[in-house]
Amino acid sequence: MDVRAHADAWLAAWRRRDLDAIMACYADDVDFTASTVARRWGRADGRLRGKAELRRHFELGLELAPNLTFTEEALLTSPGGYALLYRRENGNRVLDVVELDQDGHAARVQAFYESPQR
């Protein structure tokens, strides 16, 4: 499992704003948690399950931020996953903690924001 390759593919897909390529980084049954989910979708637990829900969330994110960019600050690795610290175009720093499944797709992701994010 090459966590560097996964992180690079994910960052490149966002750079291209290629939603299909972004979604290819995730497992079909992905479990995704972020404060943006709570704000955008009114889910107190901030949780989305499955690619269909996550895709809608990312579609809205791309609409809300037409100049979206991610600049990597650090990649921290562990067996079976990684944490990616990056800075958004609006200056907000984000830490994504990613657990990969046996096929190398993101199965569980938690996103942490330095400042509240829409």
Side-chain angles (χ1 to χ4, degrees):
M1 180 178 320
D2 186 348
V3 297
R4 174 80 263 172
H6 188 275
D8 286 346
W10 184 84
L11 286 165
W14 278 103
R15 206 170 15 261
R16 294 189 313 272
R17 301 178 64 85
D18 182 341
L19 191 54
D20 290 333
I22 294 166
M23 296 312 302
C25 296
Y26 294 90
D28 290 339
D29 60 348
V30 61
D31 181 351
F32 180 89
T33 306
S35 58
T36 53
V37 172
R39 277 192 285 289
R40 291 178 190 167
W41 308 108
R43 294 189 181 185
D45 66 357
R47 181 170 259 157
L48 297 172
R49 289 185 177 83
K51 271 187 166 179
E53 288 188 346
L54 188 58
R55 184 180 187 92
R56 284 192 300 275
H57 182 66
F58 288 162
E59 282 175 332
L60 181 56
L62 287 168
E63 288 174 24
L64 292 171
N67 298 315
L68 181 71
T69 59
F70 298 157
T71 302
E72 181 181 332
E73 292 191 355
L75 179 70
L76 310 170
T77 63
S78 73
Y82 61 89
L84 179 65
L85 178 64
Y86 57 95
R87 187 174 298 275
R88 289 198 38 169
E89 78 294 340
N90 60 12
N92 202 6
R93 291 192 322 161
V94 185
L95 177 70
D96 282 1
V97 178
V98 180
E99 293 178 28
L100 299 175
D101 66 13
Q102 64 192 17
D103 298 318
H105 296 102
R108 185 163 189 257
V109 179
Q110 289 185 283
F112 299 89
Y113 296 85
E114 188 170 49
S115 301
Q117 184 69 47
R118 287 187 20 203

